[in-house]
Structures are given as structure tokens and as C-alpha cells.
Amino acid sequence: MSQHTDRLSDNNKIEHHTTLYSSDVLIVRRGQEFQVKITFNRPYKPAEDKFAVEFVIGSNPQYSKGTYIPVFPAKERKSSWESRITDTSDNVVTVGITPEANAIVGKYHMYVTVVTPFGVRRTKRDNSRDLYILFNPWAGDDAVFLDDEEERTECVMNEMGIIYHGAYEDIAERNWNYGQFNYGVLDACLYIMDKSEMPITNRGDPIKVARKASAMLNSRDDDGVLVGNWSGDYTYGVAPTSWTGSTEILLTYYKSRMPVCYAQCWVYAAVFNTFLRCLGIPARVVTNYYSAHDNDGNLKTDIILDENGRIDRNRTRDSIWNYHCWNECYMSRPDLPLGFGGWQVVDATPQETSDGMYRCGPASVQAIKHGQTCFPFDASFVFAEINSDVVFYSRSKEGTLELVKVNRTHVGRLVLTKTPGDVTRRDITDQYKFPEGQRPQTTMAEEATVIFLGRVLCLWTNIEIKQKTLKLKETQKSTTVFLLSPGVKELVVVESKNYMKRLVEQANLHFIVTGKVKETGQIVTATKLVTLHNPKLIVQVWKNDAWKFYTQTNNLFGRNPAWN
């Protein structure tokens, strides 16, 4: 008996949008019919012959758990998967089989059993009859159904992506090859779920799959795929900026069974994106500029200043990243009230534990926008990343905290993802938060502004006083005393020798400048992120005639161009 012919296989791949997968066996999507051709040793007699097509998954398949699925083309017995005989020709029977829209995702073994006068006989195990069943965003009954062809094509089928990084005022792009259809990647993605010891029965639920994978993509607490490193020292691995695609990372992990070094947020997000798209879950990489890390869960970013206006590093636990990358995946959320399905935030970068493991999500984007921070999973953490207020406190020697300033617009300044079907960026900030102008405003303390001009840091304050003495606290912990008048700008030289040795590959300077008015004790503060760029290298290609003229000219003066 044979499973299918090449023609049937090609038709299945086209119908199931799996043509691009590099695989030796059949790959189909659940909730949609595929066809197999069975060849018997004699002509098939519908009235007399009884047979079944069996599908098993996992090491201990059981009918009660949905890991053993017998499919009966004849109507006398029902099965959970629909089937029908679509064609018969002598001893060849073509069967159409439709897996349930919530079927387990993974690699199945297929057998054919027949009833004979000597009992039930089953075909032997043959790897060529294996098949993969994936999530199906084209099927209306599938939990990952996405009814937008352009978005679906981008977020499932596109292998090439653009990841945004840099800073809000200086956005940069990084190309990435997701490679979700490359040979071996699908097996590597399924191995990740095996490695996590995820129950087979949970692997048809995109919520559970995405949550488990967000933990497994980082190596913290479970020997997952990637080791994080923000130190700038990548001696024992590959620098995060050197990666350009997911395939090598996933195949290395699959073959070595060991975490791969090294990653930062965009690498986690890129490889996670490959995992999701490979299994059929629509996914995209998202970048949040000025992304907060709420360490204590109070939905605010708290900056503690000491009595002199300097940041108290021992008590300031929250932080703000100039950008942070995470993923969105598309799915229904039957565990949430109506309207909170659709795009969900998942994040593999290990920041905080969730239910005891370093993972995040899936968290409904709609829930985040509307402040429904009680909804699972980790909606409050993501809300703080994009919508928290930056609150500055002054701490006295006695330990009391006094509110200095509240900045409601600094965090979550811009959220970007790639435009479907294009190489431009798409602003999706409004999907996460309402316009800042619609939020209620409170009275704030006087503010200061930081401007960076080349090697010069400029502080400008709008304190309405005739003349006061201001102590300026710089990043290098030096103190400069100024005598300021209203609207006057003072300059502080920032020399490269003070920071060059501390820069890592992204070369960002994060200034948090605070000042205290000596006469009144009033504190002003401001922040500024500056991205440093390497000089541009321009290569000039000489044409033969121009090079000949240049050589002759230099030889006249006794110079050899090769020495220059």
C-alpha cells in the first residue's frame, strides 16, 4: 500500500500553503481536507472491504487523549476526523481526510488497517508515510484564523523581515532571514516543545504553545534555545549583532541539544518569530521605543533621587531601555471576554518570571490598550513597558519620598513593525495606547531639557526665578555649579575618553541629568538618549583610464600609489 503519489502530494502542498517547506514528507494544515492514495493488492470492493487510516502522535498514543485517531472512510463508524472516498480505480482508492480544526500540531505516523478473514492487519511502520499537521490561519474554525490575506501572507509566509532598533530619534533597521521553511527548521521547532516536556495534548492550543515557547526560547531555568548577553564580551559565542537569520541558531540547538550563545532582545524576537510562523501561527516582530522594565509591578517607572538630586542606584530598581523587541502572534482568546482576541504580545527575552519561569504572554494587545491589566498572561507587565509614567522621587536622609516630577509621555513613544508586503515601517502605537493628549494631566514640577550638540551637553531650565544656583549631576558623577537665569542654557563638555571604553556595540549614551536649586531645595531632572555612529566608509572604484592617469601622475612626483 502506498500513501500518495507525487501529483497528490503537490496538490496537497498547494491547497495547504506548504509548498515552500523543504521536507521529504507530507505537510498539511488542520481543519482542511488533504488526500491520500492507497493501493491494495486487489480491486477494492466497497460493499465487502473494510479499512481504516490511522494517525498516531507521541510515544504513548491513546484514543481517549486524541493521540490515536482512527479514520473510517465508510459511514458505519464515525471518527473525530472527517473522511470520504473521493475516487476509486481498480485497486487504488483515494481518501480525503480532514483533521479537526483543534487537532494536535506535530508529526504523525500514518498506518492503514484492513479487516481480513484472519483478523485485522496493519501496515508496517514506514517513515515515508509520516506527515506533519500545522496550525491553519486559512481555516475559519482554527484558533489562529486570520481573515486578512495581505497580513496572513506577511505574517505566515514571508521568510524575510526587517527588525527596527536604534533610538526613537534615530531609528535603524536590521534585515533578518526567518527561514521558517528551511530544511530541518520544522523538526527543530517541534524538538523545542519536546525539550520543554510539553504534554502532547496541549500542542493544539496556540495559547499554551506560545506561552511554553516564550520560556523555551531563552536558556534561563530550562536550557532553552538562546543565552542572553548584554556585557559586550562575546568570547565564547557569537555576538548578537553578527546573527542575520534564525536557521543556524535553531539547527545548532537541535543538533547539539545545548543553548546557543548569544542573544539580545531582537535575536530572541526573531527566532521566536521563526518558531511561530513555522508552526502556522501568524506572527510579527514589534519594536517599542523607550520600553520600561517595571521591576516591582506597580505599573510605574520609579526613579529615586537622593537628597542632592543624584540618582540613588541602590534603590532605583526600574529601568528604561531605548528600545525593546517582542513578538505579536494572532489567535482567539476564549479564556478572555469577547473582543480581546487578535494580536497577542509574547516575549522570549528573560526579564521577569511569570508563574515561576522567565517568559511573558500571550497578553492581549486590546487588553493592554484598555488597561485591563488583570487579564492573563502578564498584561500588567507589558502595560508598564509601553504605558507607564516615569515618576521621579526625592529621598531625604530620613527616608521619606517626595514627588519631584511625573513624565507621562516618555515611555512607549513609538511602536513599529514591518508593513505587510512592503519594506517600509508601520506605526502601530495606536493599537497599544490612546493618544497622550487624551490622558488626564496633573500639575508637574518645573522641567529641564537636555540637548546634545556634538561633544557638548546642554542643560536648559525654565524655572521662573531671577537668579539661582543650580548643581548639575552628570553621568560621570561629577558636580558642576551654575548660576542660572530664566531660559539660559549652560554647556557641559562630554569628552569621549570618559565613555569610549564603556560602550558596547550599539553605542548608546543615556543621560539622566538632575539638578537641585541650592536656595530652595527644588530638583529638576531630564533624560536624553544619544546614539553614536561610526564614520561612513566610502569606497571609490576606479575605471581603468582613471587609474592609469592617477598612477602616471603620482609617478611623476616619485610616489607609488600602492604605498598610500
Side-chain angles (χ1 to χ4, degrees), residues 35 52 89 137 160 166 236 271 280 333 356 362 410 440 455 457-458 528:
Q35 297 193 27
S89 177
M160 299 300 299
Y236 299 104
V271 179
R333 289 297 301 268
H410 184 68
R455 295 173 60 248
L457 181 70
C458 174
K528 180 70 175 182

Side-chain angles (χ1 to χ4, degrees), residues 321-332:
W321 297 1
N322 54 310
Y323 74 92
H324 179 51
C325 296
W326 59 64
N327 302 83
E328 287 180 3
C329 55
Y330 197 91
M331 64 184 68
S332 62

Side-chain angles (χ1 to χ4, degrees), residues 114-399:
V114 295
V115 178
T116 75
F118 309 101
V120 176
R121 294 290 185 266
R122 172 183 288 148
T123 55
K124 294 181 179 180
R125 169 71 185 274
D126 186 340
N127 291 338
S128 68
R129 298 193 188 107
D130 292 346
L131 76 158
Y132 297 87
I133 296 180
L134 308 180
F135 291 100
N136 192 350
W138 286 267
D141 292 334
D142 197 306
V144 301
F145 174 62
L146 176 56
D147 193 16
D148 184 325
E149 180 58 32
E150 185 179 38
E151 199 82 65
R152 193 164 49 198
T153 300
E154 175 69 36
C155 296
V156 180
M157 303 301 293
N158 192 2
E159 294 183 83
M160 299 300 299
I162 299 174
I163 301 175
Y164 299 97
H165 62 110
Y168 171 69
E169 301 88 351
D170 189 14
I171 296 170
E173 299 179 357
R174 178 177 282 112
N175 294 319
W176 194 273
N177 183 356
Y178 297 121
Q180 67 266 31
F181 305 122
N182 288 345
Y183 191 86
V185 170
L186 178 54
D187 284 323
C189 293
L190 295 178
Y191 168 73
I192 290 171
M193 290 194 287
D194 291 340
K195 174 72 173 179
S196 72
E197 300 182 352
M198 182 181 188
I200 292 287
T201 52
N202 290 348
R203 300 186 191 186
D205 186 341
I207 299 173
K208 294 178 180 178
V209 169
R211 182 154 177 78
K212 178 64 72 172
S214 75
M216 280 301 300
L217 263 294
N218 67 74
S219 64
R220 297 288 293 270
D221 59 41
D222 53 17
D223 288 330
V225 179
L226 285 159
V227 179
N229 188 338
W230 286 264
S231 70
D233 181 5
Y234 311 115
T235 304
Y236 299 104
V238 177
T241 51
S242 297
W243 299 114
T244 58
S246 303
T247 302
E248 183 180 354
I249 294 171
L250 287 169
L251 294 186
T252 299
Y253 181 70
Y254 181 39
K255 293 174 183 177
S256 70
R257 274 38 178 181
M258 295 290 292
V260 179
C261 302
Y262 292 105
Q264 292 179 9
C265 67
W266 75 89
V267 183
Y268 285 117
V271 179
F272 198 178
N273 213 56
T274 299
F275 174 92
L276 293 166
R277 290 187 183 183
C278 184
L279 295 185
I281 302 175
R284 60 193 186 189
V285 176
V286 169
T287 303
N288 175 35
Y289 287 93
Y290 291 119
S291 188
H293 180 174
D294 179 21
N295 185 272
D296 55 12
N298 67 354
L299 303 183
K300 298 184 297 180
T301 302
D302 299 316
I303 309 297
I304 312 300
L305 310 176
D306 61 23
E307 66 274 9
N308 294 316
R310 191 188 305 280
I311 292 180
D312 190 333
R313 302 288 180 183
N314 294 325
R315 292 180 172 83
T316 299
R317 309 293 297 176
D318 296 341
S319 59
I320 301 174
W321 297 1
N322 54 310
Y323 74 92
H324 179 51
C325 296
W326 59 64
N327 302 83
E328 287 180 3
C329 55
Y330 197 91
M331 64 184 68
S332 62
R333 289 297 301 268
D335 58 324
L336 300 181
L338 189 66
F340 292 99
W343 292 111
Q344 312 288 315
V345 171
V346 285
D347 190 353
T349 301
Q351 296 185 77
E352 296 292 333
T353 58
S354 173
D355 296 332
M357 299 187 71
Y358 281 94
R359 58 184 168 186
C360 182
S364 167
V365 173
Q366 276 294 309
I368 295 162
K369 180 173 182 176
H370 289 86
Q372 300 290 346
T373 57
C374 61
F375 288 163
F377 296 91
D378 310 307
S380 60
F381 183 81
V382 181
F383 177 89
E385 285 185 294
I386 201 164
N387 229 338
S388 62
D389 295 336
V390 183
V391 183
F392 292 85
Y393 295 96
S394 177
R395 185 178 186 276
S396 67
K397 291 182 179 180
E398 292 76 25

